[in-house]
Every structure is written in C-alpha cells, then in structure tokens.
Amino acid sequence: MTKGGMNTKLHAVTDTSGRPIRLFITAGQVSDYTGAAALMNNLPEADWLLADRGYDADWFRETLVDKGTTPCIPGRKSRKKTVKYDKRRYKRRNRIERMFGRLKDWRRVATRYDRSPTVFVSAIALATTVIFWL
C-alpha cells in the first residue's frame, strides 16, 4: 500500500444511524472493489446495504444476496443492462455522506496529514470514536 497521504481512499460500513462500524483504507489508484472485498468478510447482518456506483459489480451483489442482504446500489453508467434499485431507500445514503463530512471536520483526517497508513487509519479510528461513539 502507498502512503497514508493524499493518495488514499477510505471505505466504511455504517449502521443505520450513520455511525461507522468498519473502516478500511486502500491506495487511491486501487479499485473500490478491493475495499468492498475486504469489508465483505466482516459485514454485520443487515436487511439492506446502500452503496454508491463505485461498488456496482455482479459478484458483490451476488455475495450480498447469499448473505441475505438486499443490495441498493445504482448501476454504473457504462453498464449495458440497467440494474433496478430502490431509489427512495437510496436517498438515505446521505447519512453515510454526512459521516464522511463529519470526519473531515478533523483537519488531520481532511488533509490526510499522516504519511504512514497505520498512523492515518489510527487517526481516523480516533476521530470516529470521539465523534460518533463518545
């Protein structure tokens, strides 16, 4: 993995209130599928999973269905066959976006100050603990 700096993506799983319960970072040039695969093993039981277009893959959808979770993921624009999803439910994804926005209130996280991936994810974990769990 590259440094924890500007070339880093944060993948997160949140509860229904938008509080992060699983975090994973990847290098910026890595596909979102890598983050999805890493978080798949530890997904909590849920009826629905809301995600953005970056996580639209048939294997990801099939894995979710096998676990008993209904995916609510819009299809990529380049997808030949459109995928149906619950648009009304998908609007609730703003909770996840607000979670990322609140994390960015911490300057250290927003500016990706830390160069080491372990220190960077530690700073994110500290911020999430203080913001959402204390």
Side-chain angles (χ1 to χ4, degrees), residues 32-86:
D32 287 342
Y33 300 140
T34 306
L39 291 170
M40 278 304 289
N41 298 330
N42 297 332
L43 278 180
E45 287 188 25
D47 295 332
W48 289 84
L49 183 121
L50 309 178
D52 65 1
R53 294 178 197 271
Y55 296 95
D56 176 35
D58 291 331
W59 67 266
F60 187 57
R61 290 175 185 277
E62 291 167 7
T63 306
L64 288 172
V65 169
D66 291 344
K67 288 185 173 234
T69 303
T70 306
C72 185
I73 306 169
R76 289 184 179 263
K77 295 192 187 269
S78 61
R79 194 180 256 274
K80 295 198 182 0
K81 185 178 177 186
T82 59
V83 176
K84 291 185 179 184
Y85 67 99
D86 188 345

Side-chain angles (χ1 to χ4, degrees), residues 19-36:
R19 297 177 300 185
I21 52 177
R22 304 271 190 277
L23 299 169
F24 187 73
I25 60 170
T26 59
Q29 69 274 15
V30 174
S31 170
D32 287 342
Y33 300 140
T34 306

Side-chain angles (χ1 to χ4, degrees), residues 100-107 110 131:
F100 282 115
R102 287 184 68 190
L103 271 177
K104 290 179 182 178
D105 286 344
W106 281 50
R107 195 177 101 192
I131 294 169

